[in-house]
Amino acid sequence: RLGLIDSVAGTIGAPLIRAIRADVREVSVWSGISPTLGRDLAGGRLDLIVSSNPSMAAGHKPRRLLREPFIVVLPKSLRHRPDIVDPLRMAERLPLVRYSARSVIGEDIERELATRGRVPPRVFEFDGTDGVFAMVAEGLGWAVTTPLCLMHGRMYADDLVAVPLSGPVVSREIFLLAANVVGASLAANVRRAAIALLTALVDGDITRLAPEAVRHIRVG
């Protein structure tokens, strides 16, 4: 019973299951936000999760899979605007399209904006990347996201431009957590497969779509 946050399920989810299929007789996969997956692991409803908040499953040792920086996505129509130096100033031009506060990524982004003293008014808010990117692609706003989320929403990539988040580099981390009943060899195989798939993703599509972010990404 495997739980994956949406950005992982939508990028490496299928090949990850293919890679571990020989190790298990039956696979059940749930996707969702980190708090929900963490509670399901802690409650014995999941055996392994890939999560961005290991504290939601206290007592389970997290093994890091990825560290990635926050980036900004803008409507592609703004690609050639030289006056946009600080992406956070976009709030003066277009609304911020938020990830909801129910998600860890949404909480992390809000915390960072508050630290910088710039918390745009609440206008649009979505649980997932698809909703966020659809709004930005239509030119209705801008968003703070990550390279992996950019891959998750790659169907909108032709209408977006990814740029660095100005100021200090701020990152999120993604972990694998296993229930105590899961054998060490299975957990190791899942982690090994996930790292290989994430490495290929970084070296391929992420380098193509968000090249400036790659030097701040660490796999494993």
Side-chain angles (χ1 to χ4, degrees), residues 61-98:
K61 181 180 179 181
R63 299 294 303 277
R64 194 178 74 184
L65 299 175
L66 178 74
R67 183 172 73 235
E68 59 173 350
F70 285 105
I71 60 175
V72 170
V73 288
L74 307 171
K76 199 169 186 177
S77 60
L78 297 178
R79 177 189 289 274
H80 301 298
R81 290 288 297 272
D83 56 317
I84 300 175
V85 177
D86 179 357
L88 289 178
R89 293 185 60 189
M90 283 302 302
E92 301 169 7
R93 308 169 186 272
L94 288 172
L96 171 65
V97 184
R98 283 173 160 84

mmCIF file of all heavy atoms in Angstrom, residues 61-98:
data_model
loop_
_atom_site.group_PDB
_atom_site.id
_atom_site.type_symbol
_atom_site.label_atom_id
_atom_site.label_comp_id
_atom_site.label_asym_id
_atom_site.label_seq_id
_atom_site.Cartn_x
_atom_site.Cartn_y
_atom_site.Cartn_z
ATOM 1 N N LYS A 61 11.154 6.590 10.297
ATOM 2 C CA LYS A 61 12.389 7.239 9.881
ATOM 3 C C LYS A 61 12.302 7.674 8.420
ATOM 4 O O LYS A 61 12.114 6.853 7.534
ATOM 5 C CB LYS A 61 13.568 6.282 10.056
ATOM 6 C CG LYS A 61 14.912 6.907 9.664
ATOM 7 C CD LYS A 61 16.052 5.918 9.864
ATOM 8 C CE LYS A 61 17.384 6.549 9.449
ATOM 9 N NZ LYS A 61 18.509 5.589 9.606
ATOM 10 N N PRO A 62 12.449 8.990 8.154
ATOM 11 C CA PRO A 62 12.388 9.458 6.769
ATOM 12 C C PRO A 62 13.732 9.277 6.060
ATOM 13 O O PRO A 62 14.795 9.470 6.654
ATOM 14 C CB PRO A 62 12.048 10.944 6.920
ATOM 15 C CG PRO A 62 12.639 11.331 8.245
ATOM 16 C CD PRO A 62 12.545 10.103 9.122
ATOM 17 N N ARG A 63 13.671 8.909 4.803
ATOM 18 C CA ARG A 63 14.854 8.840 3.949
ATOM 19 C C ARG A 63 14.646 9.810 2.798
ATOM 20 O O ARG A 63 13.707 9.663 2.015
ATOM 21 C CB ARG A 63 15.055 7.423 3.406
ATOM 22 C CG ARG A 63 15.262 6.368 4.488
ATOM 23 C CD ARG A 63 16.565 6.580 5.252
ATOM 24 N NE ARG A 63 17.727 6.581 4.380
ATOM 25 C CZ ARG A 63 18.358 5.491 3.954
ATOM 26 N NH1 ARG A 63 17.914 4.286 4.311
ATOM 27 N NH2 ARG A 63 19.408 5.576 3.184
ATOM 28 N N ARG A 64 15.531 10.798 2.687
ATOM 29 C CA ARG A 64 15.318 11.843 1.690
ATOM 30 C C ARG A 64 15.503 11.311 0.266
ATOM 31 O O ARG A 64 16.429 10.556 -0.020
ATOM 32 C CB ARG A 64 16.285 13.010 1.912
ATOM 33 C CG ARG A 64 15.886 14.262 1.128
ATOM 34 C CD ARG A 64 16.810 15.415 1.390
ATOM 35 N NE ARG A 64 18.091 15.231 0.720
ATOM 36 C CZ ARG A 64 19.133 16.048 0.833
ATOM 37 N NH1 ARG A 64 19.049 17.083 1.628
ATOM 38 N NH2 ARG A 64 20.261 15.807 0.195
ATOM 39 N N LEU A 65 14.603 11.751 -0.601
ATOM 40 C CA LEU A 65 14.697 11.425 -2.021
ATOM 41 C C LEU A 65 15.126 12.634 -2.849
ATOM 42 O O LEU A 65 15.832 12.481 -3.853
ATOM 43 C CB LEU A 65 13.340 10.942 -2.552
ATOM 44 C CG LEU A 65 12.743 9.686 -1.917
ATOM 45 C CD1 LEU A 65 11.355 9.437 -2.493
ATOM 46 C CD2 LEU A 65 13.646 8.479 -2.140
ATOM 47 N N LEU A 66 14.693 13.825 -2.444
ATOM 48 C CA LEU A 66 14.894 15.002 -3.292
ATOM 49 C C LEU A 66 14.861 16.274 -2.468
ATOM 50 O O LEU A 66 14.059 16.384 -1.535
ATOM 51 C CB LEU A 66 13.775 15.055 -4.351
ATOM 52 C CG LEU A 66 13.769 16.244 -5.321
ATOM 53 C CD1 LEU A 66 14.889 16.092 -6.349
ATOM 54 C CD2 LEU A 66 12.418 16.340 -6.044
ATOM 55 N N ARG A 67 15.734 17.200 -2.800
ATOM 56 C CA ARG A 67 15.618 18.589 -2.338
ATOM 57 C C ARG A 67 15.557 19.469 -3.580
ATOM 58 O O ARG A 67 16.397 19.346 -4.467
ATOM 59 C CB ARG A 67 16.796 19.004 -1.455
ATOM 60 C CG ARG A 67 16.633 20.426 -0.914
ATOM 61 C CD ARG A 67 17.683 20.792 0.105
ATOM 62 N NE ARG A 67 18.986 21.021 -0.508
ATOM 63 C CZ ARG A 67 20.102 20.403 -0.173
ATOM 64 N NH1 ARG A 67 20.082 19.462 0.771
ATOM 65 N NH2 ARG A 67 21.239 20.670 -0.772
ATOM 66 N N GLU A 68 14.547 20.327 -3.649
ATOM 67 C CA GLU A 68 14.364 21.157 -4.840
ATOM 68 C C GLU A 68 13.974 22.572 -4.431
ATOM 69 O O GLU A 68 13.299 22.781 -3.425
ATOM 70 C CB GLU A 68 13.300 20.558 -5.764
ATOM 71 C CG GLU A 68 11.928 20.399 -5.113
ATOM 72 C CD GLU A 68 10.866 19.962 -6.111
ATOM 73 O OE1 GLU A 68 11.131 19.964 -7.325
ATOM 74 O OE2 GLU A 68 9.748 19.638 -5.656
ATOM 75 N N PRO A 69 14.401 23.566 -5.216
ATOM 76 C CA PRO A 69 14.109 24.964 -4.857
ATOM 77 C C PRO A 69 12.711 25.375 -5.278
ATOM 78 O O PRO A 69 12.121 24.810 -6.204
ATOM 79 C CB PRO A 69 15.154 25.742 -5.681
ATOM 80 C CG PRO A 69 15.323 24.900 -6.915
ATOM 81 C CD PRO A 69 15.227 23.469 -6.437
ATOM 82 N N PHE A 70 12.182 26.365 -4.603
ATOM 83 C CA PHE A 70 10.960 26.996 -5.076
ATOM 84 C C PHE A 70 11.306 27.909 -6.256
ATOM 85 O O PHE A 70 12.351 28.569 -6.264
ATOM 86 C CB PHE A 70 10.296 27.800 -3.958
ATOM 87 C CG PHE A 70 9.611 26.934 -2.951
ATOM 88 C CD1 PHE A 70 10.169 26.718 -1.694
ATOM 89 C CD2 PHE A 70 8.407 26.327 -3.261
ATOM 90 C CE1 PHE A 70 9.541 25.909 -0.770
ATOM 91 C CE2 PHE A 70 7.770 25.512 -2.339
ATOM 92 C CZ PHE A 70 8.337 25.301 -1.095
ATOM 93 N N ILE A 71 10.437 27.905 -7.241
ATOM 94 C CA ILE A 71 10.595 28.743 -8.419
ATOM 95 C C ILE A 71 9.287 29.479 -8.669
ATOM 96 O O ILE A 71 8.293 29.249 -7.973
ATOM 97 C CB ILE A 71 10.979 27.917 -9.665
ATOM 98 C CG1 ILE A 71 9.896 26.864 -9.971
ATOM 99 C CG2 ILE A 71 12.344 27.255 -9.473
ATOM 100 C CD1 ILE A 71 10.135 26.090 -11.254
ATOM 101 N N VAL A 72 9.282 30.349 -9.647
ATOM 102 C CA VAL A 72 8.090 31.106 -10.019
ATOM 103 C C VAL A 72 7.678 30.709 -11.429
ATOM 104 O O VAL A 72 8.536 30.540 -12.305
ATOM 105 C CB VAL A 72 8.362 32.621 -9.943
ATOM 106 C CG1 VAL A 72 7.215 33.421 -10.560
ATOM 107 C CG2 VAL A 72 8.577 33.057 -8.495
ATOM 108 N N VAL A 73 6.391 30.536 -11.659
ATOM 109 C CA VAL A 73 5.892 30.374 -13.026
ATOM 110 C C VAL A 73 5.008 31.563 -13.374
ATOM 111 O O VAL A 73 4.176 32.000 -12.570
ATOM 112 C CB VAL A 73 5.126 29.044 -13.232
ATOM 113 C CG1 VAL A 73 6.076 27.872 -13.223
ATOM 114 C CG2 VAL A 73 4.035 28.854 -12.206
ATOM 115 N N LEU A 74 5.268 32.088 -14.567
ATOM 116 C CA LEU A 74 4.551 33.248 -15.078
ATOM 117 C C LEU A 74 3.866 32.880 -16.388
ATOM 118 O O LEU A 74 4.281 31.941 -17.070
ATOM 119 C CB LEU A 74 5.525 34.399 -15.353
ATOM 120 C CG LEU A 74 6.462 34.842 -14.243
ATOM 121 C CD1 LEU A 74 7.471 35.836 -14.792
ATOM 122 C CD2 LEU A 74 5.680 35.458 -13.107
ATOM 123 N N PRO A 75 2.855 33.650 -16.794
ATOM 124 C CA PRO A 75 2.305 33.457 -18.137
ATOM 125 C C PRO A 75 3.397 33.696 -19.172
ATOM 126 O O PRO A 75 4.227 34.598 -19.021
ATOM 127 C CB PRO A 75 1.210 34.519 -18.232
ATOM 128 C CG PRO A 75 0.883 34.886 -16.823
ATOM 129 C CD PRO A 75 2.158 34.715 -16.056
ATOM 130 N N LYS A 76 3.408 32.907 -20.224
ATOM 131 C CA LYS A 76 4.462 33.012 -21.227
ATOM 132 C C LYS A 76 4.489 34.379 -21.894
ATOM 133 O O LYS A 76 5.522 34.820 -22.390
ATOM 134 C CB LYS A 76 4.292 31.917 -22.277
ATOM 135 C CG LYS A 76 5.550 31.658 -23.082
ATOM 136 C CD LYS A 76 5.406 30.402 -23.913
ATOM 137 C CE LYS A 76 6.714 30.064 -24.610
ATOM 138 N NZ LYS A 76 6.597 28.792 -25.378
ATOM 139 N N SER A 77 3.367 35.073 -21.889
ATOM 140 C CA SER A 77 3.313 36.400 -22.502
ATOM 141 C C SER A 77 4.247 37.392 -21.826
ATOM 142 O O SER A 77 4.582 38.438 -22.401
ATOM 143 C CB SER A 77 1.882 36.939 -22.456
ATOM 144 O OG SER A 77 1.424 37.030 -21.110
ATOM 145 N N LEU A 78 4.686 37.070 -20.600
ATOM 146 C CA LEU A 78 5.579 37.974 -19.864
ATOM 147 C C LEU A 78 7.046 37.581 -19.996
ATOM 148 O O LEU A 78 7.906 38.160 -19.337
ATOM 149 C CB LEU A 78 5.196 37.999 -18.382
ATOM 150 C CG LEU A 78 3.801 38.532 -18.073
ATOM 151 C CD1 LEU A 78 3.514 38.452 -16.586
ATOM 152 C CD2 LEU A 78 3.639 39.964 -18.561
ATOM 153 N N ARG A 79 7.353 36.608 -20.859
ATOM 154 C CA ARG A 79 8.722 36.109 -20.989
ATOM 155 C C ARG A 79 9.713 37.225 -21.318
ATOM 156 O O ARG A 79 10.844 37.231 -20.829
ATOM 157 C CB ARG A 79 8.774 35.049 -22.084
ATOM 158 C CG ARG A 79 10.179 34.508 -22.354
ATOM 159 C CD ARG A 79 10.188 33.635 -23.577
ATOM 160 N NE ARG A 79 9.510 32.387 -23.347
ATOM 161 C CZ ARG A 79 10.095 31.308 -22.814
ATOM 162 N NH1 ARG A 79 11.361 31.357 -22.455
ATOM 163 N NH2 ARG A 79 9.414 30.208 -22.643
ATOM 164 N N HIS A 80 9.321 38.156 -22.137
ATOM 165 C CA HIS A 80 10.262 39.167 -22.633
ATOM 166 C C HIS A 80 10.073 40.521 -21.953
ATOM 167 O O HIS A 80 10.397 41.548 -22.532
ATOM 168 C CB HIS A 80 10.117 39.311 -24.150
ATOM 169 C CG HIS A 80 10.357 38.042 -24.905
ATOM 170 N ND1 HIS A 80 11.576 37.381 -24.887
ATOM 171 C CD2 HIS A 80 9.522 37.295 -25.674
ATOM 172 C CE1 HIS A 80 11.475 36.294 -25.629
ATOM 173 N NE2 HIS A 80 10.253 36.209 -26.113
ATOM 174 N N ARG A 81 9.594 40.508 -20.723
ATOM 175 C CA ARG A 81 9.443 41.759 -19.985
ATOM 176 C C ARG A 81 10.682 42.010 -19.139
ATOM 177 O O ARG A 81 10.832 41.474 -18.042
ATOM 178 C CB ARG A 81 8.201 41.691 -19.094
ATOM 179 C CG ARG A 81 6.891 41.713 -19.858
ATOM 180 C CD ARG A 81 6.609 43.096 -20.448
ATOM 181 N NE ARG A 81 6.463 44.093 -19.399
ATOM 182 C CZ ARG A 81 5.304 44.358 -18.805
ATOM 183 N NH1 ARG A 81 4.212 43.701 -19.149
ATOM 184 N NH2 ARG A 81 5.231 45.277 -17.875
ATOM 185 N N PRO A 82 11.630 42.824 -19.605
ATOM 186 C CA PRO A 82 12.877 43.041 -18.864
ATOM 187 C C PRO A 82 12.690 43.778 -17.551
ATOM 188 O O PRO A 82 13.571 43.774 -16.699
ATOM 189 C CB PRO A 82 13.714 43.872 -19.847
ATOM 190 C CG PRO A 82 12.702 44.547 -20.717
ATOM 191 C CD PRO A 82 11.571 43.579 -20.858
ATOM 192 N N ASP A 83 11.517 44.432 -17.374
ATOM 193 C CA ASP A 83 11.300 45.187 -16.142
ATOM 194 C C ASP A 83 10.934 44.291 -14.973
ATOM 195 O O ASP A 83 10.900 44.737 -13.833
ATOM 196 C CB ASP A 83 10.190 46.221 -16.344
ATOM 197 C CG ASP A 83 8.892 45.581 -16.821
ATOM 198 O OD1 ASP A 83 8.958 44.708 -17.698
ATOM 199 O OD2 ASP A 83 7.828 45.962 -16.321
ATOM 200 N N ILE A 84 10.663 42.997 -15.242
ATOM 201 C CA ILE A 84 10.318 42.087 -14.157
ATOM 202 C C ILE A 84 11.603 41.494 -13.593
ATOM 203 O O ILE A 84 12.130 40.516 -14.106
ATOM 204 C CB ILE A 84 9.369 40.974 -14.633
ATOM 205 C CG1 ILE A 84 8.078 41.590 -15.165
ATOM 206 C CG2 ILE A 84 9.047 40.007 -13.496
ATOM 207 C CD1 ILE A 84 7.125 40.591 -15.764
ATOM 208 N N VAL A 85 12.131 42.127 -12.576
ATOM 209 C CA VAL A 85 13.375 41.666 -11.963
ATOM 210 C C VAL A 85 13.067 40.780 -10.758
ATOM 211 O O VAL A 85 13.653 39.725 -10.570
ATOM 212 C CB VAL A 85 14.247 42.874 -11.530
ATOM 213 C CG1 VAL A 85 15.510 42.395 -10.835
ATOM 214 C CG2 VAL A 85 14.583 43.731 -12.745
ATOM 215 N N ASP A 86 12.142 41.217 -9.964
ATOM 216 C CA ASP A 86 11.750 40.483 -8.768
ATOM 217 C C ASP A 86 10.382 39.850 -9.021
ATOM 218 O O ASP A 86 9.370 40.560 -9.076
ATOM 219 C CB ASP A 86 11.680 41.435 -7.577
ATOM 220 C CG ASP A 86 11.248 40.750 -6.294
ATOM 221 O OD1 ASP A 86 10.953 39.540 -6.331
ATOM 222 O OD2 ASP A 86 11.207 41.437 -5.261
ATOM 223 N N PRO A 87 10.333 38.525 -9.193
ATOM 224 C CA PRO A 87 9.038 37.896 -9.475
ATOM 225 C C PRO A 87 7.976 38.182 -8.430
ATOM 226 O O PRO A 87 6.784 38.204 -8.748
ATOM 227 C CB PRO A 87 9.387 36.402 -9.522
ATOM 228 C CG PRO A 87 10.823 36.365 -9.898
ATOM 229 C CD PRO A 87 11.431 37.573 -9.227
ATOM 230 N N LEU A 88 8.388 38.408 -7.190
ATOM 231 C CA LEU A 88 7.395 38.688 -6.163
ATOM 232 C C LEU A 88 6.687 40.017 -6.390
ATOM 233 O O LEU A 88 5.607 40.257 -5.861
ATOM 234 C CB LEU A 88 8.045 38.654 -4.782
ATOM 235 C CG LEU A 88 8.449 37.263 -4.300
ATOM 236 C CD1 LEU A 88 9.132 37.345 -2.953
ATOM 237 C CD2 LEU A 88 7.242 36.348 -4.213
ATOM 238 N N ARG A 89 7.278 40.891 -7.202
ATOM 239 C CA ARG A 89 6.606 42.142 -7.547
ATOM 240 C C ARG A 89 5.435 41.895 -8.494
ATOM 241 O O ARG A 89 4.654 42.803 -8.766
ATOM 242 C CB ARG A 89 7.599 43.119 -8.167
ATOM 243 C CG ARG A 89 8.656 43.614 -7.188
ATOM 244 C CD ARG A 89 9.524 44.672 -7.819
ATOM 245 N NE ARG A 89 8.733 45.830 -8.233
ATOM 246 C CZ ARG A 89 9.233 46.830 -8.976
ATOM 247 N NH1 ARG A 89 10.478 46.780 -9.405
ATOM 248 N NH2 ARG A 89 8.460 47.845 -9.303
ATOM 249 N N MET A 90 5.334 40.656 -8.973
ATOM 250 C CA MET A 90 4.210 40.332 -9.831
ATOM 251 C C MET A 90 2.879 40.587 -9.142
ATOM 252 O O MET A 90 1.860 40.805 -9.793
ATOM 253 C CB MET A 90 4.276 38.866 -10.258
ATOM 254 C CG MET A 90 5.287 38.576 -11.342
ATOM 255 S SD MET A 90 4.983 39.534 -12.843
ATOM 256 C CE MET A 90 3.316 39.035 -13.236
ATOM 257 N N ALA A 91 2.875 40.578 -7.827
ATOM 258 C CA ALA A 91 1.629 40.814 -7.095
ATOM 259 C C ALA A 91 1.056 42.196 -7.397
ATOM 260 O O ALA A 91 -0.137 42.436 -7.210
ATOM 261 C CB ALA A 91 1.865 40.658 -5.595
ATOM 262 N N GLU A 92 1.915 43.109 -7.876
ATOM 263 C CA GLU A 92 1.450 44.438 -8.246
ATOM 264 C C GLU A 92 0.781 44.425 -9.621
ATOM 265 O O GLU A 92 0.115 45.397 -9.994
ATOM 266 C CB GLU A 92 2.627 45.406 -8.237
ATOM 267 C CG GLU A 92 3.326 45.508 -6.879
ATOM 268 C CD GLU A 92 4.641 46.266 -6.972
ATOM 269 O OE1 GLU A 92 4.923 46.815 -8.064
ATOM 270 O OE2 GLU A 92 5.372 46.309 -5.970
ATOM 271 N N ARG A 93 0.966 43.335 -10.374
ATOM 272 C CA ARG A 93 0.453 43.269 -11.737
ATOM 273 C C ARG A 93 -0.664 42.242 -11.876
ATOM 274 O O ARG A 93 -1.663 42.486 -12.530
ATOM 275 C CB ARG A 93 1.585 42.900 -12.706
ATOM 276 C CG ARG A 93 2.826 43.767 -12.584
ATOM 277 C CD ARG A 93 3.972 43.162 -13.385
ATOM 278 N NE ARG A 93 5.203 43.893 -13.181
ATOM 279 C CZ ARG A 93 5.571 44.947 -13.901
ATOM 280 N NH1 ARG A 93 4.786 45.358 -14.882
ATOM 281 N NH2 ARG A 93 6.697 45.574 -13.659
ATOM 282 N N LEU A 94 -0.436 41.050 -11.269
ATOM 283 C CA LEU A 94 -1.372 39.934 -11.388
ATOM 284 C C LEU A 94 -1.541 39.266 -10.032
ATOM 285 O O LEU A 94 -0.622 39.285 -9.212
ATOM 286 C CB LEU A 94 -0.848 38.898 -12.390
ATOM 287 C CG LEU A 94 -0.860 39.236 -13.878
ATOM 288 C CD1 LEU A 94 -0.125 38.155 -14.648
ATOM 289 C CD2 LEU A 94 -2.285 39.371 -14.381
ATOM 290 N N PRO A 95 -2.670 38.627 -9.781
ATOM 291 C CA PRO A 95 -2.867 37.918 -8.513
ATOM 292 C C PRO A 95 -1.946 36.710 -8.396
ATOM 293 O O PRO A 95 -1.571 36.090 -9.392
ATOM 294 C CB PRO A 95 -4.330 37.468 -8.578
ATOM 295 C CG PRO A 95 -4.960 38.285 -9.646
ATOM 296 C CD PRO A 95 -3.871 38.603 -10.625
ATOM 297 N N LEU A 96 -1.598 36.382 -7.172
ATOM 298 C CA LEU A 96 -0.903 35.122 -6.891
ATOM 299 C C LEU A 96 -1.921 33.991 -6.916
ATOM 300 O O LEU A 96 -2.963 34.071 -6.268
ATOM 301 C CB LEU A 96 -0.241 35.191 -5.514
ATOM 302 C CG LEU A 96 0.341 33.875 -4.976
ATOM 303 C CD1 LEU A 96 1.505 33.408 -5.837
ATOM 304 C CD2 LEU A 96 0.774 34.028 -3.520
ATOM 305 N N VAL A 97 -1.618 32.949 -7.680
ATOM 306 C CA VAL A 97 -2.450 31.747 -7.675
ATOM 307 C C VAL A 97 -1.833 30.792 -6.663
ATOM 308 O O VAL A 97 -0.718 30.300 -6.865
ATOM 309 C CB VAL A 97 -2.526 31.099 -9.069
ATOM 310 C CG1 VAL A 97 -3.490 29.909 -9.040
ATOM 311 C CG2 VAL A 97 -2.980 32.117 -10.111
ATOM 312 N N ARG A 98 -2.539 30.543 -5.577
ATOM 313 C CA ARG A 98 -1.975 29.813 -4.452
ATOM 314 C C ARG A 98 -2.265 28.317 -4.505
ATOM 315 O O ARG A 98 -3.309 27.897 -4.992
ATOM 316 C CB ARG A 98 -2.566 30.330 -3.139
ATOM 317 C CG ARG A 98 -2.013 31.645 -2.652
ATOM 318 C CD ARG A 98 -2.825 32.094 -1.446
ATOM 319 N NE ARG A 98 -2.118 33.064 -0.635
ATOM 320 C CZ ARG A 98 -2.108 34.365 -0.887
ATOM 321 N NH1 ARG A 98 -2.773 34.841 -1.920
ATOM 322 N NH2 ARG A 98 -1.432 35.191 -0.105
#
